[in-house]
Amino acid sequence: MKRKGTYPPWLSVAFKLGFGLLFFGFIYIELAQEENLRARWQHLQLRWTGVSVKYFLLALMFMPLNIGLEAQKWRRLMVPMVTFKAFLGIRAICTGLTVSLFTPNRIGEFAGRILYLQGRYRVAGIFATFIGSLAQYIVYWLVAVLALYWGSAGLPWLTSWRLVLVLLGSSGVIILLTFYFGANRILFWLRQKKWKAPFMRFLVISGRYPRKILLTVLLLACCRFLIFCVQLYALMLFVGFPVNHHLAFSLIPLLFIAQTLIPSFVLTDLGVRGGLALFLFEPWAGSAMLALLPSYMLWLINIIFPSFLGWLSLLQWRASTKK
């Protein structure tokens, strides 16, 4: 018997598919209206042989550091339970990316990471992944609020909504930080009220972490976000965006936070990423094609290439388990 308040799984799939089709339609309309599309494509091909290729190489060189920081985040959160080598952490991160490609909202990342842990540590690995993701979301929200407050004042389409979005974003940051650092206090308050919340088990696990570890993980998440921004800006300069540091600070954090808020899965992820990039970057790039390319290239560098490495690692793991 279905519990009260639940909804059929197909409704969630239809909702995400509808979002993806909406964004794909937006991309098609914008590209159809693009003038001199062939000339822009030829110009882009020339940039692979020019000095601008250094920006692409810079974005590519940051990819191992990005994966290494995420692995270090996960290792730090696993230290109270179990320790393992850095290479195993990198394998787990890449395998998690591989599995997440075929699951809604990348939830397969949890399952992919814990494959390399012993059975009694796998639940802890899931919670460590969740807490590490929470730290990353806190950074997304915080930098997006700063970008809205200081960087986006000159954007006409944000003028009327900027203050409201800043207030909502600031409230979100406070709530997330409270759950991240104040799990024990929230748990104590809930128990005093004799309330049972579905996230109480998370509060129990999160409350066991020393603040030093949580702060270290948050700093690693900040470094990782900075790498994301540098990579995307470098790819923008590579494809031919005009240099504009103010717009980069204003818009790049908004892209990342919007990607985390809009539900998607593997079939619609490209549509969501491309649609958001078009909406935010087309006026800056002056071209729909140029606005799309950096976001897609970042997706290939940070997700698809590590996922291929994770797929190879997964094949090796399956072969070893069969033996």
Side-chain angles (χ1 to χ4, degrees), residues 235-263:
L235 292 171
M236 288 174 168
L237 298 179
F238 167 67
V239 301
F241 273 61
V243 177
N244 193 323
H245 304 314
H246 173 77
L247 278 179
F249 173 69
S250 303
L251 297 178
I252 289 177
L254 300 186
L255 174 70
F256 289 134
I257 191 64
Q259 286 177 353
T260 64
L261 293 176
I262 296 178

Side-chain angles (χ1 to χ4, degrees), residues 5-317:
T6 61
Y7 53 88
W10 65 263
L11 187 60
S12 174
V13 174
F15 180 72
K16 294 168 184 175
L17 187 60
F19 256 112
L21 292 176
L22 182 66
F23 280 108
F24 273 124
F26 176 56
I27 293 171
Y28 174 78
I29 292 172
E30 291 297 314
L31 288 177
Q33 296 175 350
E34 180 88 347
E35 297 180 359
N36 300 324
L37 192 60
R38 181 175 296 180
R40 291 187 183 278
W41 183 254
Q42 291 174 349
H43 176 72
L44 180 65
Q45 290 177 320
L46 293 175
R47 298 187 73 83
W48 287 98
T49 59
V51 294
S52 58
V53 75
K54 64 184 179 183
Y55 295 115
F56 176 81
L57 295 176
L58 176 65
L60 189 62
M61 288 169 56
F62 271 122
M63 185 270 291
L65 182 57
N66 176 29
I67 299 298
L69 286 172
E70 181 60 24
Q72 184 63 19
K73 276 172 54 186
W74 196 55
R75 286 183 67 211
R76 290 292 297 170
L77 289 167
M78 292 297 295
V79 162
M81 283 74 70
V82 63
T83 58
F84 47 83
K85 294 182 179 180
F87 180 70
L88 181 62
I90 293 173
R91 286 185 65 185
I93 299 305
C94 292
T95 304
L97 288 173
T98 304
V99 180
S100 70
L101 286 177
F102 306 99
T103 54
N105 288 352
R106 298 175 60 188
I107 60 174
E109 191 170 349
F110 294 84
R113 291 189 185 191
I114 64 173
L115 288 176
Y116 303 98
L117 298 176
Q118 295 181 12
R120 65 179 182 271
Y121 298 123
R122 287 183 174 178
V123 173
I126 291 173
F127 279 101
T129 304
F130 186 84
I131 295 170
S133 298
L134 178 59
Q136 201 67 57
Y137 289 146
I138 290 171
V139 176
Y140 286 156
W141 277 92
L142 180 59
V143 181
V145 169
L146 295 176
L148 284 170
Y149 187 76
W150 279 295
S152 300
L155 300 176
W157 52 275
L158 270 179
T159 302
S160 57
W161 291 95
R162 189 168 65 95
L163 182 59
V164 175
L165 292 174
V166 168
L167 291 175
L168 290 175
S170 301
S171 301
V173 171
I174 293 172
I175 292 171
L176 291 174
L177 284 173
T178 302
F179 272 90
Y180 188 71
F181 285 111
N184 285 330
R185 293 183 180 181
I186 297 174
L187 189 63
F188 178 75
W189 182 79
L190 288 173
R191 285 174 173 171
Q192 274 192 327
K193 300 293 183 180
K194 297 182 179 180
W195 289 350
K196 291 185 178 181
F199 50 81
M200 286 187 71
R201 191 178 183 187
F202 163 75
L203 294 175
V204 172
I205 301 296
S206 180
R208 295 175 182 173
Y209 284 103
R211 287 202 170 188
K212 183 179 179 181
I213 290 180
L214 294 175
L215 184 59
T216 301
V217 170
L218 195 61
L219 291 175
L220 290 171
C222 290
C223 295
R224 192 162 177 251
F225 180 81
L226 180 61
I227 288 175
F228 286 150
C229 294
V230 171
Q231 283 180 304
L232 185 56
Y233 192 35
L235 292 171
M236 288 174 168
L237 298 179
F238 167 67
V239 301
F241 273 61
V243 177
N244 193 323
H245 304 314
H246 173 77
L247 278 179
F249 173 69
S250 303
L251 297 178
I252 289 177
L254 300 186
L255 174 70
F256 289 134
I257 191 64
Q259 286 177 353
T260 64
L261 293 176
I262 296 178
S264 65
F265 54 94
V266 66
L267 295 176
T268 62
D269 194 32
L270 285 178
V272 171
R273 289 174 180 270
L276 291 172
L278 273 178
F279 177 73
L280 291 171
F281 301 144
E282 187 177 4
W284 177 10
S287 163
M289 187 188 74
L290 294 185
L292 283 171
L293 286 175
S295 182
Y296 284 162
M297 294 170 77
L298 187 67
W299 180 73
L300 289 171
I301 290 173
N302 282 346
I303 295 181
I304 298 303
F305 183 70
S307 296
F308 175 73
L309 298 179
W311 176 69
L312 296 178
S313 179
L314 190 59
L315 291 178
Q316 183 184 16
W317 175 83

